[in-house]
Amino acid sequence: MTTAVQLDGITKRFPGVLANDDVDLTVEQGTVHALLGENGAGKTTLMNILYGLYEPTDGRIVVDGDERSFESPRAAIDAGIGMIHQHFMLVEPMTVAENVTLGAEPRKWGGLAVDADAAVREVAALSEQYGLDVDPTAPVETLSVGVQQRTEILKALYRGADVLILDEPTAVLTPQEVEELLSIFDHLTDQGKTIIFITHKLGEAMAAADDITVLRDGQTIGSIAADDTSREALAEMMVGREVLLEIERPPVETGSTLLTVKNVSTPSQRGVPAVSDVSFSAHAGEIFGIAGVDGNGQRELIELLTGLSTPASGSIVFDGEVITHASRRERIERGIAYVPEDRHAQGLVMPFDLVENGLLGNQRTSSFANAGRIDWAACKEHASSIIEEYDVRPPNPSASAESLSGGNQQKFIVGRELARDPTLLIATHPTRGVDIGSTEFIHEQLLALREAGVAVVLVSSKLDEVRGLSDRMAVMHDGMFVDTVDPDAVTEEELGLLMAGEHPTGGEQ
Ligand SMILES: Nc1ncnc2c1ncn2[C@@H]1O[C@H](COP(=O)(O)OP(=O)(O)OP(=O)(O)O)[C@@H](O)[C@H]1O
Ligand SMILES: [Mg+2]
């Protein structure tokens, strides 16, 4: 076997943080190598170093037997290293072929003009060769997340990548798309490409990877062949203790109806209904789950519940009062807390520190503001208690939100929202990008809220999560609730069909 990439003693120090501490990683050519580890363990940092985004403080990078140092991603790309980030970098109105070839377009007329036809042909050929199934002429904005991701893969392949790094590629995919991506990994490695992928999902790592390396606190804990380990063993390597991998939902007596949503509809920007005649209720001491493929109106429905938008028709009643047109602020004051889907756009102000971020939505609460003046000492104390309770790392209230790893940002938001002592919690993808130990913790918090008589509306694309936590659950497709199902009785196959808009028992709805 030849070694594609070898990292030797990589150390990366940020001001006050040792993100990588003498890390070793050996990746064999033609294999899939999974990188696991808790939030903040240093996975993204290590890959950013390999991709030339960060310069290591110390250590050696060996690619194809040659020691290299990359001062930019361009240098890494020239050495055959490609990286697909979690936030895609595609230009929306342009087509797949235009995006893939951007900056490296095939030319005609002696180099005078871009050869658009050749671009389409070359991209089609690459897509075919690696089983990516992408239409080169499709505008990127019309594509699902999964296909956009494959466009990013094409972009790296077009630039000659032999090693592909994917940072949590499956976090945003539907179960079906995950299957497709993993089979693309097979196509790629069959043809000699090497894949390094970061994930928090142990089952995926076991299924897709040849080898698995675990990082903890910036250090390599170990590398192991996927065939020689188990989910339990990996979980323990990652967290350093045993982790509860299954959700246990004890019986709880349900109380009064807290939220009643009646026939709400809202048009989308394109004129077609984004939410179409949705009705449901949520009770005290109950978790009401909404499952579905992303982009089927869940986001728009949640915006109606949180006051980020108002419905064109229908009504929303909370705790006996009509709140259909109540503002976001009014709803917070009435006891509705919200863990948003997009932590960058809605959950946090990235350049602000955690003290300031802990204050968001609390500016008018008497414990933080006195006669219009903000009590910064109380704010700092508040941020510190969230940090401690939710194990946010690094435990520094003066750290900016943007300096935290994705999972730690998420833990901070969940902590802030639960600290409001809500009557109703609306949580969208509360554990997206969150490591297994913290996922277990967040699940426990949601179940504790339920036990304390809070109503929880949970949107999640993780099937095991939404099934494990919910007392009742609806499946959303094309803006509508296709069906309401018993989470304990429904099978994965039935759910898959419902999520695709089909009724397992009687044709399409
Ligand atoms: N640009 C930066 N400036 C300061 N600290 C940083 C920076 N980037 C990362 N860190 C810190 O380095 C550590 C490792 O972060 P990294 O993003 O590599 O973690 P990760 O393993 O990818 O975590 P996650 O699973 O949450 O994505 C964290 O403590 C993080 O806060
Ligand atoms: Mg990361």
Side-chain angles (χ1 to χ4, degrees):
M1 244 189 203
T2 30
T3 300
V5 171
Q6 186 167 351
L7 302 179
D8 265 346
I10 296 286
T11 294
K12 178 68 187 175
R13 201 179 286 280
F14 291 112
V17 179
L18 190 55
N20 289 154
D21 181 5
D22 197 15
V23 174
D24 296 331
L25 176 72
T26 305
V27 183
E28 303 299 345
Q29 195 242 319
T31 66
V32 177
H33 199 111
L35 205 51
L36 304 185
E38 289 185 288
N39 295 132
K43 306 176 296 293
T44 299
T45 302
L46 188 68
M47 290 301 107
N48 281 341
I49 288 171
L50 176 57
Y51 189 54
L53 274 168
Y54 294 149
E55 204 183 321
T57 313
D58 204 355
R60 286 188 337 134
I61 301 174
V62 181
V63 177
D64 283 334
D66 296 325
E67 182 166 349
R68 309 293 301 248
S69 83
F70 303 134
E71 45 310 318
S72 68
R74 172 140 294 278
I77 292 166
D78 288 344
I81 311 276
M83 183 157 173
I84 288 107
H85 288 274
Q86 260 179 307
H87 294 271
F88 301 150
M89 297 171 186
L90 300 169
V91 188
E92 296 242 304
M94 289 170 43
T95 66
V96 167
E98 285 163 345
N99 267 284
V100 169
T101 58
L102 189 65
E105 296 89 349
R107 323 233 15 135
K108 59 183 176 184
W109 303 335
L112 287 177
V114 169
D115 190 342
D117 293 335
V120 168
R121 272 198 313 275
E122 287 172 27
V123 173
L126 266 182
S127 168
E128 167 85 0
Q129 182 183 355
Y130 294 104
L132 288 159
D133 197 20
V134 179
D135 172 7
T137 63
V140 162
E141 61 198 345
T142 64
L143 303 177
S144 69
V145 172
V147 181
Q148 290 192 24
Q149 184 176 66
R150 287 186 245 156
T151 303
E152 288 278 11
I153 295 176
L154 278 172
K155 210 167 135 185
L157 292 170
Y158 183 79
R159 283 161 179 71
D162 291 316
V163 177
L164 286 159
I165 306 166
L166 295 102
D167 193 351
E168 293 187 46
T170 61
V172 291
L173 299 183
T174 65
Q176 171 70 28
E177 287 172 328
V178 172
E179 290 285 310
E180 287 166 10
L181 181 67
L182 300 189
S183 86
I184 288 167
F185 283 2
D186 285 341
H187 276 281
L188 288 163
T189 49
D190 281 349
Q191 296 177 63
K193 302 287 180 192
T194 304
I195 291 169
I196 307 176
F197 91 112
I198 298 176
T199 183
H200 285 295
K201 297 177 186 160
L202 303 178
E204 242 165 40
M206 301 275 298
D210 299 286
D211 301 297
I212 299 171
T213 293
V214 176
L215 299 185
R216 196 200 308 157
D217 290 336
Q219 298 178 330
T220 319
I221 295 300
S223 292
I224 192 161
D227 290 340
D228 296 341
T229 186
S230 65
R231 288 170 70 215
E232 288 71 22
L234 287 171
E236 195 155 351
M237 275 171 88
M238 285 169 65
V239 185
R241 63 171 169 88
E242 215 177 301
V243 180
L244 196 63
L245 293 171
E246 310 301 330
I247 299 169
E248 281 168 24
R249 173 165 42 92
V252 162
E253 197 136 328
T254 336
S256 58
T257 309
L258 281 177
L259 177 74
T260 309
V261 176
K262 255 205 189 117
N263 309 107
V264 294
S265 294
T266 188
S268 77
Q269 276 149 356
R270 294 203 179 97
V272 287
V275 175
S276 182
D277 201 21
V278 165
S279 301
F280 70 97
S281 58
H283 303 87
E286 177 183 58
I287 298 182
F288 183 82
I290 300 172
V293 176
D294 267 6
N296 273 281
Q298 296 95 322
R299 176 185 305 186
E300 290 82 356
L301 175 61
I302 293 304
E303 286 180 353
L304 297 178
L305 302 182
T306 55
L308 288 168
S309 67
T310 50
S313 57
S315 66
I316 304 170
V317 174
F318 172 64
D319 216 1
E321 310 250 5
V322 177
I323 58 156
T324 318
H325 296 282
S327 68
R328 168 91 196 95
R329 157 109 1 247
E330 211 177 321
R331 294 184 208 208
I332 292 179
E333 281 162 11
R334 281 174 191 266
I336 302 180
Y338 173 39
V339 175
E341 165 174 351
D342 185 340
R343 50 188 170 240
H344 290 180
Q346 295 176 1
L348 296 167
V349 181
M350 298 313 266
F352 285 14
D353 66 23
L354 296 183
V355 175
E356 293 161 321
N357 271 293
L359 182 62
L360 292 183
N362 290 326
Q363 295 94 321
R364 297 219 198 143
T365 316
S366 57
S367 48
F368 298 108
N370 217 327
R373 301 221 354 229
I374 291 176
D375 179 351
W376 287 109
C379 292
K380 184 160 183 213
E381 176 126 1
H382 179 62
S384 300
S385 75
I386 297 172
I387 289 169
E388 189 183 331
E389 194 177 344
Y390 285 79
D391 189 22
V392 175
R393 293 182 221 175
N396 172 13
S398 319
S400 66
E402 65 199 346
S403 73
L404 260 55
S405 72
N408 279 295
Q409 293 170 357
Q410 183 72 357
K411 288 195 279 184
F412 188 81
I413 296 173
V414 171
R416 180 188 66 206
E417 294 305 311
L418 297 199
R420 292 186 206 289
D421 236 339
T423 319
L424 169 67
L425 174 74
I426 296 165
T428 43
H429 307 292
T431 63
R432 178 173 281 173
V434 175
D435 67 44
I436 49 168
S438 304
T439 293
E440 178 193 32
F441 180 75
I442 290 173
H443 287 167
E444 281 166 3
Q445 300 306 308
L446 295 177
L447 290 169
L449 285 182
R450 165 182 178 266
E451 201 149 345
V454 173
V456 179
V457 175
L458 169 72
V459 173
S460 174
S461 47
K462 291 185 186 168
L463 283 187
D464 47 352
E465 172 170 277
V466 71
R467 278 173 73 188
L469 289 173
S470 305
D471 297 286
R472 288 185 302 134
M473 112 191 204
V475 182
M476 199 164 184
H477 177 78
D478 220 358
M480 286 178 275
F481 277 5
V482 188
D483 207 349
T484 307
V485 296
D486 174 356
D488 297 320
V490 69
T491 67
E492 201 144 307
E493 290 68 38
E494 285 166 344
L495 263 185
L497 285 172
L498 287 169
M499 285 168 68
E502 284 171 39
H503 237 262
T505 44
E508 202 149 330
Q509 272 226 332

